[in-house]
mmCIF file of all heavy atoms in Angstrom:
data_model
loop_
_atom_site.group_PDB
_atom_site.id
_atom_site.type_symbol
_atom_site.label_atom_id
_atom_site.label_comp_id
_atom_site.label_asym_id
_atom_site.label_seq_id
_atom_site.Cartn_x
_atom_site.Cartn_y
_atom_site.Cartn_z
ATOM 1 N N ILE M 217 -1.596 33.665 -11.710
ATOM 2 C CA ILE M 217 -0.187 33.269 -11.667
ATOM 3 C C ILE M 217 0.082 32.342 -12.846
ATOM 4 O O ILE M 217 -0.633 31.355 -13.037
ATOM 5 C CB ILE M 217 0.146 32.573 -10.344
ATOM 6 C CG1 ILE M 217 -0.178 33.492 -9.165
ATOM 7 C CG2 ILE M 217 1.608 32.137 -10.295
ATOM 8 C CD1 ILE M 217 0.045 32.859 -7.805
ATOM 9 N N PRO M 218 1.085 32.608 -13.662
ATOM 10 C CA PRO M 218 1.330 31.759 -14.829
ATOM 11 C C PRO M 218 1.672 30.326 -14.419
ATOM 12 O O PRO M 218 2.398 30.084 -13.451
ATOM 13 C CB PRO M 218 2.524 32.438 -15.522
ATOM 14 C CG PRO M 218 2.527 33.840 -15.001
ATOM 15 C CD PRO M 218 1.999 33.766 -13.606
ATOM 16 N N ASP M 219 1.118 29.384 -15.159
ATOM 17 C CA ASP M 219 1.404 27.950 -14.997
ATOM 18 C C ASP M 219 1.145 27.465 -13.583
ATOM 19 O O ASP M 219 1.845 26.574 -13.069
ATOM 20 C CB ASP M 219 2.858 27.641 -15.392
ATOM 21 C CG ASP M 219 3.167 28.038 -16.821
ATOM 22 O OD1 ASP M 219 2.264 27.906 -17.670
ATOM 23 O OD2 ASP M 219 4.300 28.499 -17.077
ATOM 24 N N SER M 220 0.151 28.002 -12.937
ATOM 25 C CA SER M 220 -0.205 27.574 -11.583
ATOM 26 C C SER M 220 -1.722 27.435 -11.532
ATOM 27 O O SER M 220 -2.438 28.439 -11.695
ATOM 28 C CB SER M 220 0.293 28.585 -10.547
ATOM 29 O OG SER M 220 0.043 28.132 -9.249
ATOM 30 N N PHE M 221 -2.199 26.211 -11.302
ATOM 31 C CA PHE M 221 -3.627 25.936 -11.383
ATOM 32 C C PHE M 221 -4.076 25.110 -10.188
ATOM 33 O O PHE M 221 -3.298 24.359 -9.594
ATOM 34 C CB PHE M 221 -3.963 25.173 -12.672
ATOM 35 C CG PHE M 221 -3.644 25.929 -13.926
ATOM 36 C CD1 PHE M 221 -2.423 25.766 -14.551
ATOM 37 C CD2 PHE M 221 -4.568 26.807 -14.477
ATOM 38 C CE1 PHE M 221 -2.111 26.454 -15.702
ATOM 39 C CE2 PHE M 221 -4.269 27.507 -15.631
ATOM 40 C CZ PHE M 221 -3.034 27.336 -16.240
ATOM 41 N N ILE M 222 -5.341 25.262 -9.874
ATOM 42 C CA ILE M 222 -6.014 24.409 -8.896
ATOM 43 C C ILE M 222 -6.648 23.253 -9.674
ATOM 44 O O ILE M 222 -7.539 23.469 -10.490
ATOM 45 C CB ILE M 222 -7.084 25.191 -8.118
ATOM 46 C CG1 ILE M 222 -6.439 26.323 -7.315
ATOM 47 C CG2 ILE M 222 -7.874 24.263 -7.206
ATOM 48 C CD1 ILE M 222 -7.440 27.255 -6.655
ATOM 49 N N VAL M 223 -6.142 22.055 -9.441
ATOM 50 C CA VAL M 223 -6.589 20.900 -10.232
ATOM 51 C C VAL M 223 -7.510 19.968 -9.470
ATOM 52 O O VAL M 223 -8.128 19.087 -10.064
ATOM 53 C CB VAL M 223 -5.362 20.109 -10.744
ATOM 54 C CG1 VAL M 223 -4.551 20.958 -11.688
ATOM 55 C CG2 VAL M 223 -4.497 19.627 -9.584
ATOM 56 N N GLY M 224 -7.616 20.130 -8.164
ATOM 57 C CA GLY M 224 -8.508 19.271 -7.397
ATOM 58 C C GLY M 224 -7.996 17.846 -7.335
ATOM 59 O O GLY M 224 -6.801 17.568 -7.437
ATOM 60 N N GLY M 225 -8.910 16.901 -7.186
ATOM 61 C CA GLY M 225 -8.557 15.492 -7.081
ATOM 62 C C GLY M 225 -9.618 14.733 -6.317
ATOM 63 O O GLY M 225 -10.537 15.320 -5.723
ATOM 64 N N PRO M 226 -9.549 13.399 -6.320
ATOM 65 C CA PRO M 226 -10.535 12.596 -5.576
ATOM 66 C C PRO M 226 -10.464 12.877 -4.079
ATOM 67 O O PRO M 226 -9.396 13.163 -3.533
ATOM 68 C CB PRO M 226 -10.125 11.148 -5.901
ATOM 69 C CG PRO M 226 -9.280 11.242 -7.126
ATOM 70 C CD PRO M 226 -8.607 12.565 -7.077
ATOM 71 N N TYR M 227 -11.626 12.785 -3.443
ATOM 72 C CA TYR M 227 -11.676 13.026 -2.007
ATOM 73 C C TYR M 227 -10.789 12.042 -1.251
ATOM 74 O O TYR M 227 -10.168 12.385 -0.247
ATOM 75 C CB TYR M 227 -13.115 12.894 -1.502
ATOM 76 C CG TYR M 227 -14.075 13.922 -2.072
ATOM 77 C CD1 TYR M 227 -15.421 13.621 -2.244
ATOM 78 C CD2 TYR M 227 -13.637 15.189 -2.434
ATOM 79 C CE1 TYR M 227 -16.297 14.548 -2.768
ATOM 80 C CE2 TYR M 227 -14.509 16.126 -2.953
ATOM 81 C CZ TYR M 227 -15.843 15.798 -3.122
ATOM 82 O OH TYR M 227 -16.715 16.722 -3.634
ATOM 83 N N GLU M 228 -10.746 10.796 -1.724
ATOM 84 C CA GLU M 228 -10.014 9.757 -0.999
ATOM 85 C C GLU M 228 -8.512 10.030 -0.947
ATOM 86 O O GLU M 228 -7.823 9.519 -0.075
ATOM 87 C CB GLU M 228 -10.265 8.380 -1.629
ATOM 88 C CG GLU M 228 -11.695 7.882 -1.515
ATOM 89 C CD GLU M 228 -12.609 8.535 -2.544
ATOM 90 O OE1 GLU M 228 -12.086 9.265 -3.419
ATOM 91 O OE2 GLU M 228 -13.841 8.305 -2.472
ATOM 92 N N GLU M 229 -8.002 10.815 -1.886
ATOM 93 C CA GLU M 229 -6.568 11.084 -1.930
ATOM 94 C C GLU M 229 -6.196 12.361 -1.193
ATOM 95 O O GLU M 229 -5.027 12.741 -1.182
ATOM 96 C CB GLU M 229 -6.099 11.175 -3.382
ATOM 97 C CG GLU M 229 -6.267 9.879 -4.156
ATOM 98 C CD GLU M 229 -5.773 9.988 -5.582
ATOM 99 O OE1 GLU M 229 -5.266 11.079 -5.943
ATOM 100 O OE2 GLU M 229 -5.888 9.004 -6.330
ATOM 101 N N GLU M 230 -7.158 13.022 -0.584
ATOM 102 C CA GLU M 230 -6.861 14.239 0.158
ATOM 103 C C GLU M 230 -6.291 13.907 1.532
ATOM 104 O O GLU M 230 -6.383 12.763 2.006
ATOM 105 C CB GLU M 230 -8.121 15.100 0.298
ATOM 106 C CG GLU M 230 -8.638 15.662 -1.017
ATOM 107 C CD GLU M 230 -9.862 16.529 -0.838
ATOM 108 O OE1 GLU M 230 -10.393 16.591 0.301
ATOM 109 O OE2 GLU M 230 -10.308 17.147 -1.815
ATOM 110 N N ASP M 231 -5.734 14.929 2.183
ATOM 111 C CA ASP M 231 -5.097 14.741 3.477
ATOM 112 C C ASP M 231 -5.884 15.381 4.610
ATOM 113 O O ASP M 231 -5.415 15.379 5.748
ATOM 114 C CB ASP M 231 -3.684 15.340 3.452
ATOM 115 C CG ASP M 231 -2.828 14.750 2.346
ATOM 116 O OD1 ASP M 231 -2.374 13.617 2.507
ATOM 117 O OD2 ASP M 231 -2.639 15.429 1.326
ATOM 118 N N GLY M 232 -7.039 15.928 4.317
ATOM 119 C CA GLY M 232 -7.799 16.616 5.349
ATOM 120 C C GLY M 232 -8.913 15.767 5.913
ATOM 121 O O GLY M 232 -8.838 14.541 6.001
ATOM 122 N N GLU M 233 -9.986 16.441 6.291
ATOM 123 C CA GLU M 233 -11.163 15.775 6.828
ATOM 124 C C GLU M 233 -12.182 15.594 5.707
ATOM 125 O O GLU M 233 -11.935 15.945 4.552
ATOM 126 C CB GLU M 233 -11.742 16.614 7.972
ATOM 127 C CG GLU M 233 -10.727 16.888 9.091
ATOM 128 C CD GLU M 233 -11.181 17.985 10.034
ATOM 129 O OE1 GLU M 233 -12.263 18.555 9.797
ATOM 130 O OE2 GLU M 233 -10.439 18.283 10.988
ATOM 131 N N LEU M 234 -13.321 15.016 6.044
ATOM 132 C CA LEU M 234 -14.424 14.822 5.099
ATOM 133 C C LEU M 234 -13.971 14.040 3.866
ATOM 134 O O LEU M 234 -14.247 14.415 2.731
ATOM 135 C CB LEU M 234 -15.016 16.176 4.670
ATOM 136 C CG LEU M 234 -15.565 17.068 5.790
ATOM 137 C CD1 LEU M 234 -15.950 18.427 5.221
ATOM 138 C CD2 LEU M 234 -16.758 16.419 6.453
ATOM 139 N N THR M 235 -13.276 12.938 4.092
ATOM 140 C CA THR M 235 -12.779 12.138 2.971
ATOM 141 C C THR M 235 -13.409 10.752 2.896
ATOM 142 O O THR M 235 -13.174 10.042 1.929
ATOM 143 C CB THR M 235 -11.256 11.960 3.083
ATOM 144 O OG1 THR M 235 -10.943 11.321 4.326
ATOM 145 C CG2 THR M 235 -10.549 13.299 3.006
ATOM 146 N N THR M 236 -14.192 10.368 3.893
ATOM 147 C CA THR M 236 -14.764 9.023 3.899
ATOM 148 C C THR M 236 -16.009 8.976 3.027
ATOM 149 O O THR M 236 -16.572 10.011 2.630
ATOM 150 C CB THR M 236 -15.096 8.592 5.330
ATOM 151 O OG1 THR M 236 -16.096 9.492 5.864
ATOM 152 C CG2 THR M 236 -13.858 8.667 6.205
ATOM 153 N N ALA M 237 -16.459 7.766 2.758
ATOM 154 C CA ALA M 237 -17.656 7.590 1.940
ATOM 155 C C ALA M 237 -18.889 8.139 2.646
ATOM 156 O O ALA M 237 -19.814 8.635 2.003
ATOM 157 C CB ALA M 237 -17.846 6.103 1.615
ATOM 158 N N GLU M 238 -18.912 8.052 3.993
ATOM 159 C CA GLU M 238 -20.056 8.571 4.728
ATOM 160 C C GLU M 238 -20.160 10.092 4.620
ATOM 161 O O GLU M 238 -21.241 10.658 4.707
ATOM 162 C CB GLU M 238 -19.957 8.166 6.208
ATOM 163 C CG GLU M 238 -19.991 6.666 6.447
ATOM 164 C CD GLU M 238 -18.611 6.046 6.371
ATOM 165 O OE1 GLU M 238 -17.708 6.701 5.812
ATOM 166 O OE2 GLU M 238 -18.451 4.911 6.848
#
Side-chain angles (χ1 to χ4, degrees):
I217 302 177
D219 302 325
S220 184
F221 298 93
I222 297 173
V223 296
Y227 296 150
E228 294 79 7
E229 297 181 2
E230 294 181 353
D231 303 284
E233 303 166 358
L234 301 173
T235 59
T236 62
E238 297 88 342

